Amino acid sequence: MKAIILSAGEGSRMRPLTLTKPKTMLPVAGKPIMQYNIESLRENGIKDILLIVRYKEEMVRDYFGDGSKFGVNISYKTQKDFLGTANAISYGKDFIEDSIIVLNGDIILDEEIISELIKKYNYLKPDTLMLLTEVEDPSAFGVVEIEDCNIKSIVEKPKKEEAPSNLVNAGIYVFNKDIFDKIEKTELSQRGEYEITDSVSMQIEDGKTVIGHKTNKDWIDVGRPWELIEVNEELIGNLKTEIKGKIEEGAHIHGEIFLDEGSIIRAGVYIEGNVYIGKNCDVGPNSYIRGNSYFGDNVHIGNAVEVKNSIIMENTNVSHLSYVGDSVIGSNCNIAAGTNIANLRFDNKSVKTKIKNQMIDSGRRKFGSIIGDSVKTGINSSFSPGVKVGSNSTIGSGVLLYDDVPPDTRILVKQDYIIQDKKNKE
């Protein structure tokens, strides 16, 4: 069995992080999201992997190469146009031998799910095996009508009361060659894409065997910015201590920590909870780090900084007396002294943030800011919960930011002074 991983899209819901990186390359607990999938496939004996790429594909190719350093064989195909999942999968027609597992590159799943699918497929030999998961409200998903594991139909986004079940398509499949014949006959959907669910529905109509497999194992679709924080929480929560760098006397570690080569934790630093610190980082002195935080390579955390449950990507500096709460900060940023990135509303309600021009409830009571690459803040700037800042923008000193900032933008405070003569008593 071989595998296809879909990694062509940008992931627009993850902006501004994806203005400079494809979503599948965003880091979580020390690795790009897609690396977890490649390792899960490898651990289940699948070594031949085709990556379907397009958006900023050079970053994917440069990082994974031919796959040899990850113990697999990776080849690439560039999707010419964003024409949907079926179109992306069609690039694997000459890659498949007898069967192929297909998954999106922006999910993180328990490797036992791959094992379950392979075993079930090899036992039943269906034309298609579809991973299913149970949800409370299926109205936002492709819902299956199922009988004795056989899928009878797929209903897209039905009303909750009209859904044939609460089992939904998780977007992971095992196919034989028949799927490519159906893809060739698949027509454009109303949203202008070739949908793989339409191709599978054609298999059902043609009398092919389409089996559903329900899993109770963990899998996470990392589609929105706060979900990056949530998956980071989960993975770093499983961290085991490994010290390659230096911890000075007077630092206090309460939790598991990964400290990579060349990094130093200085005296007075207090770490509470699990923390991942990459290569050549400098933390402290007298900083407070807590709650499943991740620092990429070459990150500097200055004196008396507090970081809580956040992702800080490579080559970023957080200067002294700053606070970063439940946030994601991109690469090559400079967070100036006294910057406060708040994570809690005054009314204690869950934080909302704007996704594709709509305010979306994150469901998180504590959620800070999403800051793109190469952003600079001025001293004593403040960020309201849920705010997003586009890449290469500058937030001036003393700014209280309460709305999103596009990329390549400068925000400054217009300030009026009152100048008085101290000798003049009037």
Side-chain angles (χ1 to χ4, degrees):
M1 185 178 292
K2 295 182 177 181
I4 294 176
I5 300 179
L6 307 181
S7 181
E10 170 195 343
S12 57
R13 291 183 299 167
M14 292 290 281
R15 292 178 181 171
L17 302 173
T18 52
L19 292 173
T20 48
K21 300 179 179 77
K23 181 169 65 169
T24 57
M25 295 302 292
L26 293 174
V28 177
K31 303 173 188 176
I33 293 170
M34 188 157 58
Q35 186 174 336
Y36 289 94
N37 294 329
I38 289 172
E39 290 173 349
S40 291
L41 292 168
R42 181 196 64 206
E43 293 307 303
N44 282 283
I46 298 177
K47 301 291 182 69
D48 296 316
I49 301 171
L50 174 65
L51 301 186
I52 308 300
V53 294
R54 185 183 178 193
Y55 179 73
K56 298 191 181 299
E57 64 180 270
E58 66 281 356
M59 295 184 71
V60 179
R61 292 176 181 266
D62 288 348
Y63 184 86
F64 289 108
D66 63 3
S68 56
K69 68 178 180 179
F70 302 97
V72 295
N73 307 309
I74 294 178
S75 53
Y76 300 85
K77 288 285 184 71
T78 300
Q79 189 178 11
K80 294 179 181 178
D81 297 294
F82 294 126
L83 290 175
T85 307
N87 175 257
I89 294 170
S90 72
Y91 285 81
K93 184 176 181 179
D94 297 329
F95 181 70
I96 190 174
E97 291 180 353
D98 54 355
S99 59
I100 201 157
I101 185 167
V102 176
L103 61 155
N104 291 317
D106 58 358
I107 60 174
I108 293 181
L109 68 165
D110 190 316
E111 66 183 46
E112 289 187 23
I113 292 176
I114 303 293
S115 177
E116 290 176 2
L117 287 172
I118 293 172
K119 288 176 182 176
K120 193 158 192 174
Y121 183 85
N122 288 336
Y123 177 68
L124 295 176
K125 293 293 184 183
D127 295 286
T128 289
L129 179 62
M130 178 189 295
L131 184 69
L132 306 175
T133 189
E134 192 170 6
V135 297
E136 185 175 331
D137 181 2
S139 59
F141 303 91
V143 186
V144 300
E145 178 188 0
I146 192 166
E147 183 180 311
D148 295 329
C149 293
N150 289 280
I151 296 176
K152 300 299 183 182
S153 67
I154 304 170
V155 183
E156 288 294 334
K157 299 181 179 179
K159 294 180 180 179
K160 186 176 181 180
E161 63 274 12
E162 296 176 0
S165 73
N166 63 346
L167 292 173
V168 303
N169 175 16
I172 304 172
Y173 309 88
V174 185
F175 296 121
N176 65 15
K177 290 183 178 182
D178 178 74
I179 195 63
F180 294 99
D181 295 332
K182 299 300 185 290
I183 288 173
E184 288 182 358
K185 299 174 184 177
T186 300
E187 298 180 354
L188 280 172
S189 67
Q190 290 185 343
R191 61 177 186 170
E193 294 185 355
Y194 296 99
E195 313 280 359
I196 193 61
T197 49
D198 290 344
S199 306
V200 174
S201 294
M202 292 173 65
Q203 286 188 307
I204 295 170
E205 293 169 5
D206 199 31
K208 300 296 182 181
T209 304
V210 179
I211 298 293
H213 174 71
K214 177 185 172 184
T215 184
N216 296 315
K217 300 291 190 303
D218 292 334
W219 69 282
I220 303 172
D221 181 359
V222 189
R224 296 168 296 186
W226 60 88
E227 290 168 345
L228 196 66
I229 295 173
E230 289 169 357
V231 71
N232 191 69
E233 289 171 348
E234 182 165 334
L235 293 174
I236 291 187
N238 298 324
L239 200 65
K240 300 299 181 186
T241 292
E242 185 175 354
I243 308 296
K244 298 180 180 179
K246 179 182 178 182
I247 301 175
E248 288 186 347
E249 185 177 352
H252 301 272
I253 313 294
H254 299 275
E256 304 291 333
I257 180 172
F258 178 86
L259 183 66
D260 214 336
E261 297 171 354
S263 291
I264 184 169
I265 297 174
R266 298 189 180 276
V269 171
Y270 194 100
I271 293 179
E272 184 178 63
N274 294 2
V275 173
Y276 183 108
I277 299 173
K279 292 182 173 67
N280 303 314
C281 294
D282 193 332
V283 181
N286 305 315
S287 299
Y288 182 26
I289 315 298
R290 59 194 178 107
N292 298 330
S293 289
Y294 162 74
F295 303 155
D297 295 344
N298 305 304
V299 165
H300 176 238
I301 305 296
N303 175 47
V305 169
E306 180 176 352
V307 179
K308 184 235 173 208
N309 197 35
S310 294
I311 296 172
I312 300 177
M313 299 184 197
E314 69 275 6
N315 304 313
T316 284
N317 173 59
V318 182
S319 299
H320 54 282
L321 302 171
S322 295
Y323 173 75
V324 180
D326 295 270
S327 298
V328 182
I329 300 178
S331 308
N332 304 302
C333 294
N334 189 70
I335 308 302
T339 299
N340 283 292
I341 303 177
N343 61 346
L344 183 66
R345 288 171 45 140
F346 285 129
D347 58 9
N348 269 332
K349 292 183 179 179
S350 57
V351 177
K352 295 181 179 180
T353 193
K354 192 175 288 184
I355 305 287
K356 293 187 174 181
N357 295 318
Q358 288 188 325
M359 292 303 294
I360 305 295
D361 191 339
S362 70
R364 292 180 65 93
R365 178 172 164 268
K366 292 190 176 182
F367 176 38
S369 295
I370 305 297
I371 296 176
D373 289 353
S374 303
V375 168
K376 292 180 173 59
T377 74
I379 60 170
N380 299 322
S381 55
S382 297
F383 295 70
S384 296
V387 161
K388 297 190 293 181
V389 180
S391 56
N392 200 39
S393 287
T394 302
I395 311 302
S397 300
V399 169
L400 172 57
L401 194 67
Y402 52 83
D403 204 354
D404 290 357
V405 176
D408 302 301
T409 301
R410 182 181 292 114
I411 306 292
L412 301 172
V413 171
K414 184 177 181 180
Q415 189 170 14
D416 292 326
Y417 289 100
I418 298 174
I419 302 176
Q420 297 178 328
D421 184 352
K422 291 174 66 176
K423 296 178 181 179
N424 186 345
K425 297 182 179 179
E426 295 181 3

